[in-house]
């Protein structure tokens, strides 16, 4: 069996790394790994850390390119890649432009598609944008759907996807996080530490397109108000490189003594910073899955989430992007110890770290059954 695994962004390589390593252990599988280059600088160090062999670098990232340009370039490049490699099945992950375009190029060539982290929905096509639409489009084309939770499976079943094409596996991000923590423990050179070891840290991330403009203005003003109200806390913000994020963050937050604006962090250091933090304020998706493993409450600065399981489990709370709501919710977690303990001790709903093994087993079994049916 010829398997192609395609990724382009940092979240994708993190969530596909353990799957690639699991496929590498299969002697009867010919694996080909393709990196589109959508997040080049952020991904290359992770390829080294996870010790991945990448067979094709497409280098498709261009400065300030539009979604339309990126989509056209990825579809065309993936079509040429599939024509050359002729895989039996293509694995894509999540909701990125890379994932949607790779799936579409595979569909055009009638190549089977496997979707990792399938079935997440907000049911609002513009939130998150364009990720919600990307996921939905991939689901229409995929042959195998690896859902991280029962809720994600239920979403797919409601969309009339056959149950025998869906497997609930947990999320591969948990596999990657446990792998990373173990490697940091084994190899001291990865344990880089931080400058904030003796302080309570509020860790902040923000990059969503739908928050550009007023959303980021509100977020930054809220952080400023919180930093002034809680001078003993350290507010640590690795700032995304997008100018729509950089401009309001630097204008509103630069110069505050207990706000640290950092360049984007590599995954290994960020994982350690999550581990050291007191709570996390984010508009990210993956952090909603990772932080509960570490016992860290998550406040999600979005109006919708495709990961309701985190809210239902009590590990995360959806708080929106208005300044007062952000200030109120962070303040409550800082001053209300009972609420903090309740959120930090809630059970992680996203799996046990064996998702990649389950995906490989299901894929091998699916292909075997199809071959037997053809012979029959």
């Amino acid at each position: 069996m010829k398997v192609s695994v395609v990724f382009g962004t940092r979240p994708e390589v993190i969530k596909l790394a353990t799957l690639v390593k699991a496929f590498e252990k299969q002697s009867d599988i010919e694996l080909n790994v393709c990196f589109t280059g959508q997040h080049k600088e952020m991904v290359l160090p992770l390829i080294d850390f996870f010790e991945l062999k990448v067979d094709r670098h497409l280098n498709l990232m261009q400065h300030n390119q539009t979604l339309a340009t990126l989509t056209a370039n990825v579809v065309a490049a993936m079509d040429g890649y599939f024509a050359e490699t002729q895989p039996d099945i293509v694995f894509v992950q999540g909701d990125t432009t890379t994932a949607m375009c790779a799936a579409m190029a595979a569909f055009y060539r009638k190549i089977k598609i496997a979707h990792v982290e399938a079935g997440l929905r907000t049911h609002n096509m513009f939130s998150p944008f364009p990720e919600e639409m990307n996921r939905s489009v991939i689901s229409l084309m995929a042959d195998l759907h690896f859902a991280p939770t029962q809720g994600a499976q239920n979403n797919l079943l409601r969309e009339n996807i056959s149950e025998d094409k869906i497997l609930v596996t947990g999320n591969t991000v948990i596999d990657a996080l446990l792998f990373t923590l173990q490697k940091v423990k084994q190899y001291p050179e990865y344990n880089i530490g931080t400058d904030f070891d003796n302080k309570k840290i509020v860790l902040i991330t923000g990059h969503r397109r739908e928050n550009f403009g007023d959303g980021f203005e509100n977020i930054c003003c809220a952080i400023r108000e919180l930093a002034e109200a809680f001078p003993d806390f350290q507010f640590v913000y690795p700032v995304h490189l997008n100018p729509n994020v950089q401009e309001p963050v630097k204008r509103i937050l630069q110069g505050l003594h207990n706000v640290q604006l950092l360049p984007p962090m590599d995954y290994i250091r960020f994982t350690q910073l999550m581990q050291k933090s007191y709570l996390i304020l984010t508009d990210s998706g993956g952090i909603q899955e990772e932080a509960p493993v570490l016992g860290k409450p998550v406040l999600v600065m979005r109006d919708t989430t495709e990961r309701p399981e985190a809210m239902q489990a009590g590990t995360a709370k959806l708080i929106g992007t208005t300044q007062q709501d952000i200030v109120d919710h962070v303040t409550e977690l800082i001053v209300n110890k009972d609420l903090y303990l309740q959120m930090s001790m809630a059970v992680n709903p996203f799996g046990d770290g064996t998702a990649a093994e389950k995906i490989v087993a299901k894929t091998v079994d699916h292909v075997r059954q199809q071959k037997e049916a053809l012979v029959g």
Side-chain angles (χ1 to χ4, degrees):
M1 179 169 54
K2 296 173 73 173
V3 172
S4 176
V5 177
V6 180
F7 57 79
T9 67
R10 183 167 90 159
E12 285 171 291
V13 70
I14 291 167
K15 293 183 176 185
L16 289 172
T18 55
L19 181 62
V20 169
K21 297 176 83 66
F23 272 127
E24 287 174 345
K25 297 175 184 176
Q26 303 293 315
S27 58
D28 56 346
I29 286 177
E30 181 183 330
L31 181 65
N32 196 283
V33 178
C34 177
F35 171 41
T36 66
Q38 191 178 336
H39 283 178
K40 187 174 181 180
E41 292 80 6
M42 293 180 172
V43 169
L44 292 178
L46 287 172
I47 290 172
D48 292 336
F49 178 77
F50 286 110
E51 301 169 32
L52 304 179
K53 177 182 176 289
V54 175
D55 301 284
R56 184 67 55 86
H57 291 256
L58 297 180
N59 200 27
L60 295 178
M61 191 60 190
Q62 299 174 15
H63 186 62
N64 276 342
Q65 65 186 339
T66 66
L67 285 172
T69 302
L70 177 61
T71 298
N73 290 342
V74 176
V75 170
M78 294 310 304
D79 182 62
Y81 166 71
F82 292 144
E84 180 182 338
T85 55
Q86 297 187 355
D88 297 303
I89 189 166
V90 174
F91 277 79
V92 298
Q93 189 281 327
D95 56 17
T96 69
T97 301
T98 283
M100 187 270 288
C101 293
M104 188 166 289
F107 171 75
Y108 287 156
R109 288 190 171 270
K110 298 184 179 178
I111 300 168
K112 290 190 177 299
I113 300 158
H115 189 197
V116 179
E117 197 185 66
L120 277 63
R121 297 289 187 271
T122 67
H123 308 291
N124 178 345
M125 72 173 69
F126 294 108
S127 180
F129 175 83
E131 289 85 359
E132 176 74 3
M133 183 58 73
N134 287 345
R135 283 187 186 276
S136 301
V137 169
I138 295 169
S139 294
L140 291 172
M141 299 183 287
D143 300 274
L144 288 175
H145 307 257
F146 296 110
T149 64
Q150 187 65 52
Q153 181 187 44
N154 292 340
N155 287 335
L156 294 168
L157 292 173
R158 281 192 288 269
E159 294 170 8
N160 296 317
I161 291 170
S162 174
E163 189 171 3
D164 63 358
K165 294 183 176 181
I166 309 169
L167 180 68
V168 178
T169 62
N171 199 304
T172 53
V173 76
I174 308 302
D175 305 26
L177 181 60
L178 296 177
F179 173 92
T180 299
L181 295 175
Q182 186 61 35
K183 188 163 182 177
V184 168
K185 189 183 296 184
Q186 285 180 321
Y187 299 95
E189 63 267 29
Y190 288 115
N191 193 343
I192 55 180
T194 72
D195 300 327
F196 320 113
D197 290 345
N198 298 318
K199 299 175 183 176
K200 287 185 175 178
I201 298 170
V202 176
L203 178 58
I204 303 151
T205 74
H207 71 280
R208 289 284 176 194
R209 287 175 183 268
E210 62 266 29
N211 284 342
F212 291 173
D214 290 344
F216 269 104
E217 293 279 335
N218 292 338
I219 289 167
C220 293
C221 288
I223 295 166
R224 185 180 187 93
E225 185 175 340
L226 287 162
E228 292 170 346
F230 298 100
D232 294 335
F233 277 75
Q234 194 74 27
F235 293 79
V236 181
Y237 192 167
V239 186
H240 198 279
L241 294 176
N242 191 302
N244 293 291
V245 180
Q246 290 268 331
E247 192 281 325
V249 168
K250 290 181 177 178
R251 171 167 44 85
I252 297 170
L253 296 175
Q254 210 158 38
L256 293 174
H257 82 278
N258 61 333
V259 175
Q260 296 287 329
L261 303 180
L262 304 175
M265 282 186 168
D266 63 74
Y267 175 69
I268 302 94
R269 188 177 183 206
F270 186 77
T271 297
Q272 294 174 64
L273 191 52
M274 276 201 298
Q275 203 168 22
K276 295 175 186 292
S277 68
Y278 186 74
L279 66 90
I280 300 173
L281 189 59
T282 186
D283 66 6
S284 169
I287 290 173
Q288 296 174 50
E289 300 154 345
E290 294 166 314
V293 178
L294 305 172
K296 308 301 177 181
V298 182
L299 297 177
V300 183
M301 299 179 293
R302 290 166 58 181
D303 297 318
T304 60
T305 180
E306 63 278 27
R307 294 168 173 85
E309 296 87 353
M311 314 301 148
Q312 293 157 7
T315 62
K317 187 177 288 187
L318 202 64
I319 66 170
T321 58
T322 66
Q323 180 177 342
Q324 195 59 53
D325 285 342
I326 295 170
V327 170
D328 289 347
H329 283 286
V330 174
T331 299
E332 186 180 22
L333 261 184
I334 288 175
V335 302
N336 187 334
K337 305 302 180 187
D338 290 337
L339 176 62
Y340 181 87
L341 286 173
Q342 182 183 335
M343 289 187 72
S344 63
M345 297 176 71
V347 176
N348 169 42
F350 295 108
D352 59 5
T354 60
E357 296 171 15
K358 293 171 184 171
I359 291 170
V360 170
K362 171 72 172 179
T363 303
V364 171
D365 185 55
H366 176 79
V367 173
R368 183 182 297 117
Q369 288 179 7
Q370 287 214 320
K371 288 182 177 179
E372 288 172 356
L374 288 172
V375 171

